[in-house]
Amino acid sequence: MRIGVIGTGRIGTIHANTLSRHRDVGSLILTDVDPARAQELALRLGETAAPGVDEIFTWGVDAVVITTATQAHAELIGRAARSGLPVFCEKPIALDLPGTLQAIAEVEAAGTVLQMGFQRRFDAGYVGAREAVRSGRLGRLHTVRAVTSDQVPPPAAWLPLSGGLYRDTLIHDFDILRWVTGREVSDVYAAGSDAGPGMFREAGDVDTAAVLLTLDDGTLATATATRLNGAGYDVRMELAGERDQIVVGLDDRTPIASTEPTGPPAADKPWTGFLERFAPAYEAELMAFVEVVRGERANPCDGREALQALRIAEACEASRRERRPVRLREVAGA
């Protein structure tokens, strides 16, 4: 199998390393807007660098992995679909609903595969939570609490391109909430604060956000996120039911300290970022993609799944802006 990797930044480099080691992947073709960066990675991995995107499609590949800047995702997904190629793409498909719907339409018209990179679906803790909910271990689920906290903010130049905290960060919580519970979100009420560094206000973004989500069975969920969690990178999900309560993301590296006299001590080596925290999950999602391309398993996260997470993020943006609850049926793309 020959795979084209478009984008050799941080996550592209990680994916290329994973694929280069895979027994079923014979070779890679790498390209990037910075040709020297792609060439350097290709030399390090013993793979081939291409001067541009065109060569990915003309030199002959069996699948494409897209890890470019977000604004290029939709066009590249469409191009791959028109070429009959299966695609793995980092989230999101696009930063708006029209672009997302257009790309999905092209994939569905071509009958090709689009697997989206929501890596939390491959994390052992979230898999265990899903199994606990689906098995009935918790009884009736009544409350879910999700947390995503970055230790340090992204560069100021990235903020205007990111789509904002709901689309860029909390979208992972929205996706995994649906995946773990098996329920849909019916309405949201969102608030955000830009009281931190001025770069967030200048970008029209917030540095901290909180959302109350009501699921279609009445379960209540909260999701919070911040770019400024000095203690470390913190991603957790608590699920409480009538029979039991469980938590994802609580281990000896969780950056939280107890004030109780007999509570656990603070982590000696707290998580610092998503690439470290979710390294096994990033590898597992690429392993799954190879199996999908080989016809050995069903697509674990298609474009319609990504669309639903984006619709929740769009509802949150509207809720924050208009200071009111927003029902998901108000958002296009249902």
Side-chain angles (χ1 to χ4, degrees):
M1 183 187 302
R2 193 181 202 192
I3 296 179
V5 179
I6 306 175
T8 56
R10 284 191 307 170
I11 195 64
T13 296
I14 288 172
H15 288 341
N17 271 279
T18 296
L19 292 169
S20 187
R21 298 192 308 268
H22 198 292
R23 65 180 183 275
D24 293 323
V25 177
S27 63
L28 303 177
I29 301 177
L30 312 176
T31 193
D32 193 88
V33 291
D34 180 354
R37 184 165 66 178
Q39 183 66 50
E40 179 184 357
L41 180 59
L43 288 172
R44 192 160 72 243
L45 297 179
E47 304 290 355
T48 302
V53 171
D54 289 346
E55 285 75 14
I56 295 292
F57 296 98
T58 59
W59 287 3
V61 295
D62 300 298
V64 174
V65 171
I66 299 171
T67 60
T68 62
T70 297
Q71 59 264 33
H73 288 184
E75 191 278 329
L76 291 170
I77 289 170
R79 186 169 182 181
R82 294 189 296 274
S83 300
L85 294 172
V87 174
F88 176 93
C89 184
E90 280 300 321
K91 64 84 189 167
I93 294 174
L95 290 178
D96 59 13
L97 288 167
T100 299
L101 290 166
Q102 175 61 33
I104 291 172
E106 291 208 62
V107 170
E108 292 179 348
T112 53
V113 168
L114 169 60
Q115 180 183 329
M116 295 303 300
F118 282 102
Q119 88 284 350
R120 292 188 194 182
R121 294 181 177 218
F122 296 87
D123 175 75
Y126 285 106
V127 171
R130 175 183 165 99
E131 292 171 351
V133 171
R134 305 301 176 90
S135 71
R137 169 185 161 185
L138 306 185
R140 182 186 68 86
L141 186 66
H142 53 74
T143 308
V144 182
R145 294 176 285 269
V147 175
T148 295
S149 301
D150 291 329
Q151 184 175 26
V152 295
W158 165 247
L159 293 176
L161 307 175
S162 71
L165 192 59
Y166 299 104
R167 298 187 191 94
D168 181 50
T169 300
L170 277 164
I171 197 167
H172 280 289
D173 297 277
F174 303 150
D175 175 72
I176 206 64
L177 175 64
R178 295 180 60 249
W179 189 75
V180 167
T181 65
R183 311 304 308 190
E184 296 295 342
V185 173
S186 61
D187 61 71
V188 306
Y189 189 84
S193 170
D194 62 2
M199 65 182 184
F200 292 99
R201 292 184 292 279
E202 292 166 8
D205 197 5
V206 294
D207 58 72
T208 303
V211 186
L212 171 64
L213 309 100
T214 303
L215 307 190
D216 58 10
D217 65 347
T219 300
L220 295 179
T222 59
T224 63
T226 184
R227 302 285 199 182
L228 301 159
N229 197 58
Y233 180 73
D234 188 11
V235 172
R236 281 176 285 125
M237 174 181 272
E238 299 173 7
L239 300 104
E242 292 182 345
R243 294 181 183 170
D244 202 357
Q245 180 172 236
I246 58 175
V247 59
V248 178
L250 181 61
D251 59 21
D252 61 359
R253 298 191 64 183
T254 304
I256 192 167
S258 173
T259 61
E260 299 296 334
T262 59
D268 289 333
K269 187 181 178 183
W271 298 109
T272 59
F274 62 93
L275 294 178
E276 180 186 33
R277 164 68 176 83
F278 289 110
Y282 279 117
E283 182 166 345
E285 68 180 357
L286 265 293
M287 299 294 155
F289 179 60
V290 172
E291 292 175 358
V292 170
V293 174
R294 289 172 57 86
E296 296 171 352
R297 67 174 293 174
N299 188 348
C301 187
D302 64 18
R304 291 284 169 183
E305 296 288 291
L307 170 63
Q308 290 303 100
L310 179 60
R311 291 182 67 240
I312 299 169
E314 292 288 332
C316 290
E317 287 286 3
S319 177
R320 178 180 73 90
R321 184 175 61 250
E322 300 170 17
R323 295 181 176 272
R324 68 176 180 90
V326 173
R327 298 191 68 81
L328 263 291
R329 66 189 182 197
E330 299 178 47
V331 182

